[in-house]
Amino acid sequence: MDVVSDRSKPQVEEYMTRDVATVAPDATVGDVASRIAESDEHSGFPVCERRRVEGFISARDLLLADDSDPIFKVMATELLVAHPEMKVTDAARVILRSGIQKLPVVDDAGNLVGIISNADVIRSQIERATPEKVGKLMRTLEQIHEIELEQERRMVSLAALTPTQGRVYADELEGRRYELEHGLAEPLVVIDNNGTLLLADGHHRVLAADRLEIDEMDAYVIVIDQEIELGMANTAAKEGLERIDDIDVVDYARHPLVQTTKRLQS
């Protein structure tokens, strides 16, 4: 696990749009096609019976349908959906990897409570409070070791980094690679322990960057002028972690990022 706690990660409910335009299952193809044609924002709608999500209808679904057909005959009924308490980073991977533009957000009862879009994801990336996370880590180190530390923002060589986490997950690695390719990755968090660069946060990003043949990355660096004994460094040494090549990619432990919902048949 990375040093920085996942509890600092923003959740979907903080960035989703709560006022969602929907259509009813018995609306006609012609009516929905007109709504899409007249809208500058919508290329599709969640299909809801009251607030319960029954499916999703997109412009593509309407192409071969008759105007008089009810929406429930042509809508998609197996959906990718997010939960309000899902981390935005998880929702981002779903959106970016699947190519969809919007992800309905449903509560535990299956009711629609919002929608999160690729634009919302980008906004969450820009607004991430990485400096605050770094500050928290720096204050913790200062209290434990009774020292004063400096913080810098600089590019670091991946070859110079010592990992402190022995494994990463394949699905998350794929998501980080996509983020790097699209300029969405946040900086690393590195501890410069008198010249030894310990990677505190960002192991998935670093391994993804290495696979993309990226040699250096932007980082928040906590600078320790006189070398001190750090628990994470001792752990890395015990696990034989010296270079990023020593990090294992775990394929079998894929994180559940989304739920599959199906239209209930009466």
Side-chain angles (χ1 to χ4, degrees):
M1 181 179 293
D2 285 354
V3 171
V4 180
S5 171
D6 282 345
R7 286 178 294 181
S8 64
K9 300 284 187 180
Q11 295 181 330
V12 164
E13 62 186 351
E14 299 173 43
Y15 287 92
M16 69 184 187
T17 299
R18 297 178 183 274
D19 186 14
V20 184
T22 65
V23 298
D26 57 358
T28 66
V29 166
D31 289 340
V32 176
S34 296
R35 286 184 62 181
I36 291 176
E38 294 168 359
S39 172
D40 294 328
E41 302 178 4
H42 300 290
S43 59
F45 299 95
V47 182
C48 296
E49 185 67 51
R50 297 187 178 179
R51 296 303 296 175
R52 185 171 181 79
V53 180
E54 303 286 347
F56 194 91
I57 189 70
S58 67
R60 182 175 57 186
D61 298 325
L62 305 176
L63 291 178
L64 300 179
D66 293 332
D67 284 352
S68 59
D69 284 343
I71 288 299
F72 70 80
K73 286 189 175 182
V74 295
M75 68 184 184
T77 56
E78 293 190 2
L79 307 176
L80 293 177
V81 301
H83 188 275
E85 296 178 0
M86 177 186 286
K87 295 193 296 290
V88 173
T89 49
D90 287 343
R93 285 193 291 274
V94 175
I95 290 174
L96 296 175
R97 287 165 55 185
S98 66
I100 62 177
Q101 294 185 339
K102 295 182 179 180
L103 198 61
V105 183
V106 301
D107 62 17
D108 292 335
N111 295 322
L112 183 71
V113 294
I115 198 162
I116 188 164
S117 68
N118 50 5
D120 297 325
V121 165
I122 292 172
R123 180 167 61 91
S124 75
Q125 297 279 341
I126 293 171
E127 293 180 0
R128 278 184 179 174
T130 304
E132 293 181 13
K133 294 191 294 185
V134 177
K136 183 177 180 180
L137 174 59
M138 189 165 68
R139 289 191 298 272
T140 300
L141 291 172
E142 287 177 331
Q143 291 171 1
I144 292 174
H145 298 281
E146 298 181 346
I147 55 176
E148 291 187 7
L149 302 176
E150 301 272 339
Q151 176 187 324
E152 299 177 355
R153 179 82 175 263
R154 67 176 191 246
M155 302 297 290
V156 296
S157 168
L158 302 192
L161 293 173
T162 299
T164 60
Q165 176 177 317
R167 63 181 181 178
V168 297
Y169 298 105
D171 60 341
E172 193 162 348
L173 182 60
E174 184 180 343
R176 291 295 185 259
R177 176 174 179 142
Y178 195 104
E179 291 173 3
L180 281 166
E181 290 175 329
H182 291 76
L184 293 175
E186 64 180 292
L188 308 174
V189 179
V190 173
I191 299 174
D192 184 347
N193 192 13
N194 193 31
T196 300
L197 300 183
L198 297 168
L199 179 60
D201 184 75
H203 289 76
H204 289 88
R205 276 164 274 158
V206 162
L207 207 56
D210 183 60
R211 292 186 174 187
L212 292 171
E213 298 185 348
I214 296 172
D215 296 326
E216 58 181 15
M217 294 182 70
D218 185 22
Y220 290 97
V221 181
I222 298 172
V223 180
I224 303 174
D225 291 329
Q226 294 185 344
E227 185 174 359
I228 61 175
E229 184 174 338
L230 294 172
M232 68 179 71
N234 293 336
T235 300
K238 289 179 181 178
E239 295 185 10
L241 301 176
E242 297 179 355
R243 303 178 304 275
I244 58 176
D245 291 342
D246 296 326
I247 302 172
D248 292 329
V249 178
V250 183
D251 291 318
Y252 61 85
R254 300 180 68 85
H255 297 311
L257 303 181
V258 295
Q259 304 166 357
T260 300
T261 59
K262 295 184 179 181
R263 180 173 179 265
L264 299 177
Q265 301 294 331
S266 57

